[in-house]
Amino acid sequence: MVRIMFSLDTITSLAKRRGFVFQSSEIYGGLNGCWDYGPLGVELLANIKNAWWKEMTFRDNIEGLDAAILMHPRTWDASGHTSQFSDPMIDNKTSKSRYRADNLIEDFIEKMRKKNKTELANEIETALNQAKEPNDFYDIIIKYQIPDPVSGTTDWTPVRNFNLMFKTFIGPVEDDSAIVYLRPETAQGIFVNFKNVLDTARQKIPFGIAQIGKAFRNEINTKNFLFRTREFEQMEMQFFVKPGSEKEWFDYWKEQRWNWYNRLGMKQEKLRWKVHEKLAHYANYAVDIEFEFPFGFGEIEGIHSRTDFDLRNHQEFSGKKMEYVDSVNNERYIPYVIETSGGVSRSFMAFLCNAYDEEEVASDNGKSEKRTVLRFANVLAPIKAAILPLVNKDGMPEIAETIYRDLQKSFKVQYDTSGAIGRRYRRQDEIGTPFCITIDGQTLEDNTVTVRERDSMQQIRINADNLKNYLLEKFI
Ligand code: GAP
């Protein structure tokens, strides 16, 4: 297969042009790190979330949850977010640009690698892996004279820690006792509800709780379109297991999550594992699934073995028992947790990049032309089928509209009568519609329609009465 190269700008402009994603508050100049999903974007987003929900909760041992975005502020003390959830921030005095110090160093390492200065790159990387405190990052930047990409100077302020949680106030009085945070992850809503779900759903360990919802982080630098944003959605699942069995379940969930991306059409060569060398103090195993975006590999999902850190801390901070009582074996323990934590918007961008393709095809006038096509898996495609009467006369629009109205009861379809049939196919290819249904002269004679498949562009004729079942089978 030929690998086509494209830039992130290609994806961003297609996303805007075809109504997948718009800049937030665009008419006011936009709001950094926030994006709006347009008519096709919401469909794709919903299809990703539905596929995940089905995959995770259509099981005996996983329950769903939808916890509130605003949570008791003690939650974030217990989870460590108030004290630990910060990024090292540095400013360049000349350009006034602001960076995450670790990202600045990482980009510099990348540059050194590109210049074949491998030894230097490795040396800086080792120092970065050991860096913990703001001063450690600052020392690396000064020692290796890492310049500001904008001004080229090394005129740096000290590195400061910057907490990423958005603060707001609950109720009318804006004082410290009224501070609440917009949740930076959905996971804590699951932990604080562990007992509620356990008791009401009558589950036994091992079992999991899944949730999809918004999360907010006041990122220092937003970048790369939907990759790092300030408002985003997560799809997270916490799987509660008996201590000692966590490695077995960690391996199980690694495989499950990898297979999910594959089944949804992610190209094998576009995915890779990243094993964490620097583990969070509470984690005993952690890996990320990375996707190759046009700007390089980036994390789309993390699978973490978090021990009993979260439940134990919530027990301590709330004074409420988080133990599991195994009455069969007469044991009590705080369960260990395997977490699968994916970003909906990051996956959205990964699926969009993964689907993007360009190829030369024969056009109506016999010459060749470029075809842009989004090769989405059928379940993810925003529009499942387009209904296209060949001409706007001879009763074809009436038949087409009847078919359209009937299909619309079962899935998202479009009706398009404008322009030459070739152009209409191209429009659907560019938004990833897997099937185009054409109503033509022969339909009037024998009630058959053509079904054109997006990727192969092959056409078959089938009886209009069988069309819906034929398509439904393709979308399972
Ligand atoms: N509960 C664990 C947790 O939140 P994380 O690695 O910080 O772990 C999990 O985030 C996933 O959430 C990431 O793999 C990514 O897909 C998504 N994510 C995190 N920060 C994001 C951001 N600023 N913008 C978009 N997606 C983000």
Side-chain angles (χ1 to χ4, degrees):
M1 179 187 276
V2 185
R3 278 185 70 161
I4 62 134
M5 304 296 282
F6 56 90
S7 69
L8 192 58
D9 284 348
T10 308
I11 298 296
T12 315
S13 70
L14 184 146
K16 166 146 198 220
R17 184 161 32 87
R18 300 312 311 268
F20 282 90
V21 182
F22 310 121
Q23 205 182 6
S24 160
S25 334
E26 193 180 358
I27 58 167
Y28 292 104
L31 183 67
N32 211 333
C34 301
W35 297 89
D36 297 343
Y37 291 83
L40 294 181
V42 283
E43 296 299 332
L44 177 55
L45 213 53
N47 293 342
I48 294 171
K49 290 190 277 188
N50 284 340
W52 186 86
W53 194 252
K54 209 166 145 186
E55 165 75 7
M56 301 305 269
T57 70
F58 286 20
R59 300 172 185 246
D60 295 341
N61 58 359
I62 298 200
E63 306 289 345
L65 180 77
D66 188 3
I69 287 173
L70 300 178
M71 299 179 69
H72 193 288
R74 291 286 282 161
T75 308
W76 309 110
D77 296 333
S79 67
H81 282 81
T82 4
S83 58
Q84 311 270 325
F85 193 57
S86 52
D87 279 338
M89 178 175 80
I90 191 165
D91 293 286
N92 185 268
K93 291 184 204 157
T94 310
S95 71
K96 308 274 181 266
S97 305
R98 176 161 288 172
Y99 301 95
R100 248 177 77 169
D102 52 340
N103 287 167
L104 182 75
I105 300 168
E106 277 162 5
D107 290 349
F108 186 71
I109 293 171
E110 204 51 44
K111 233 182 244 164
M112 292 303 103
R113 288 210 197 290
K114 283 200 181 124
K115 288 185 176 169
N116 288 328
K117 296 189 176 175
T118 316
E119 216 170 290
L120 177 64
N122 289 345
E123 187 182 315
I124 306 175
E125 192 167 55
T126 308
L128 180 63
N129 281 336
Q130 287 160 0
K132 285 194 179 80
E133 300 301 322
N135 276 345
D136 302 336
F137 296 102
Y138 183 74
D139 290 347
I140 297 172
I141 290 167
I142 298 305
K143 177 171 176 192
Y144 296 100
Q145 287 291 290
I146 298 180
D148 173 17
V150 177
S151 68
T153 69
T154 52
D155 194 11
W156 295 112
T157 62
V159 175
R160 285 164 293 155
N161 266 341
F162 170 73
N163 193 293
L164 301 185
M165 283 198 294
F166 277 101
K167 269 185 204 166
T168 186
F169 299 95
I170 199 151
V173 184
E174 297 194 359
D175 64 17
D176 281 359
S177 66
I179 289 178
V180 287
Y181 301 93
L182 302 189
R183 66 179 175 204
E185 60 171 20
T186 55
Q188 297 306 323
I190 295 180
F191 291 126
V192 300
N193 278 295
F194 163 68
K195 277 292 212 178
N196 284 337
V197 176
L198 177 69
D199 295 344
T200 54
R202 305 200 305 147
Q203 282 286 355
K204 288 196 168 40
I205 295 266
F207 83 99
I209 305 176
Q211 175 169 219
I212 298 175
K214 289 262 182 176
F216 303 83
R217 297 183 188 180
N218 199 0
E219 300 282 358
I220 296 169
N221 292 126
T222 58
K223 62 176 183 181
N224 293 332
F225 191 30
L226 307 174
F227 187 78
R228 183 166 294 122
T229 56
R230 294 195 166 115
E231 175 176 341
F232 56 97
E233 266 184 300
Q234 289 186 315
M235 31 196 190
E236 295 197 296
M237 192 278 300
Q238 314 292 325
F239 199 73
F240 301 93
V241 305
K242 187 173 175 181
S245 68
E246 69 271 23
K247 179 65 170 64
E248 178 194 327
W249 285 109
F250 175 73
D251 290 339
Y252 172 82
W253 281 110
K254 265 176 66 181
E255 193 186 332
Q256 294 285 304
R257 296 306 303 139
W258 181 272
N259 292 345
W260 183 74
Y261 288 105
N262 268 307
R263 278 203 310 280
L264 289 179
M266 277 300 189
K267 297 175 190 116
Q268 193 79 22
E269 71 276 11
K270 289 256 171 204
L271 290 179
R272 74 176 188 195
W273 289 111
K274 180 180 173 187
V275 179
H276 285 222
E277 282 171 17
K278 224 170 34 170
L279 286 176
H281 60 280
Y282 52 83
N284 54 4
Y285 308 100
V287 289
D288 295 336
I289 297 177
E290 293 190 333
F291 176 81
E292 189 180 18
F293 293 100
F295 50 84
F297 275 94
E299 172 192 342
I300 50 173
E301 172 156 347
I303 296 119
H304 311 130
S305 172
R306 300 177 67 111
T307 66
D308 60 359
F309 172 83
D310 303 272
L311 289 182
R312 188 171 288 285
N313 276 0
H314 285 304
Q315 173 169 292
E316 191 186 318
F317 279 69
S318 68
K320 301 283 183 321
K321 281 248 176 289
M322 289 289 173
E323 279 179 349
Y324 175 71
V325 181
D326 177 349
S327 50
V328 177
N329 298 311
N330 208 14
E331 287 179 301
R332 283 171 178 269
Y333 54 82
I334 296 182
Y336 272 30
V337 169
I338 307 300
E339 165 181 79
T340 69
S341 174
V344 183
S345 29
R346 268 199 206 166
S347 288
F348 178 102
M349 192 165 100
F351 282 119
L352 206 52
C353 294
N354 183 67
Y356 187 84
D357 199 7
E358 290 169 3
E359 63 182 5
E360 288 293 323
V361 290
S363 74
D364 290 347
N365 60 17
K367 293 190 188 143
S368 81
E369 66 174 12
K370 188 176 93 174
R371 170 172 101 116
T372 299
V373 52
L374 290 180
R375 301 187 194 276
F376 287 127
N378 290 347
V379 283
L380 295 186
I383 306 294
K384 303 297 186 210
I387 322 304
L388 318 171
L390 190 62
V391 289
N392 256 333
K393 55 183 186 183
D394 302 335
M396 289 182 211
E398 289 75 11
I399 298 174
E401 182 147 358
T402 308
I403 292 176
Y404 169 64
R405 293 282 166 221
D406 182 40
L407 295 182
Q408 195 176 46
K409 290 180 197 145
S410 303
F411 38 82
K412 190 86 183 163
V413 280
Q414 268 188 1
Y415 183 67
D416 187 1
T417 57
S418 65
I421 191 72
R423 285 195 51 205
R424 281 184 269 168
Y425 284 152
R426 295 289 169 274
R427 277 204 291 269
Q428 295 300 330
D429 290 342
E430 206 189 16
I431 61 170
T433 306
F435 299 101
C436 286
I437 319 300
T438 311
I439 287 78
D440 56 15
Q442 200 177 322
T443 315
L444 308 175
E445 288 165 23
D446 62 8
N447 197 35
T448 61
V449 296
T450 65
V451 179
R452 171 196 182 263
E453 199 269 330
R454 178 197 64 209
D455 293 344
S456 63
M457 295 186 285
Q458 297 288 316
Q459 301 191 15
I460 56 163
R461 283 205 87 86
I462 72 169
N463 193 295
D465 297 339
N466 301 333
L467 181 63
K468 193 167 181 173
N469 281 343
Y470 173 84
L471 292 175
L472 276 172
E473 268 184 25
K474 307 275 183 190
F475 303 143
I476 295 168

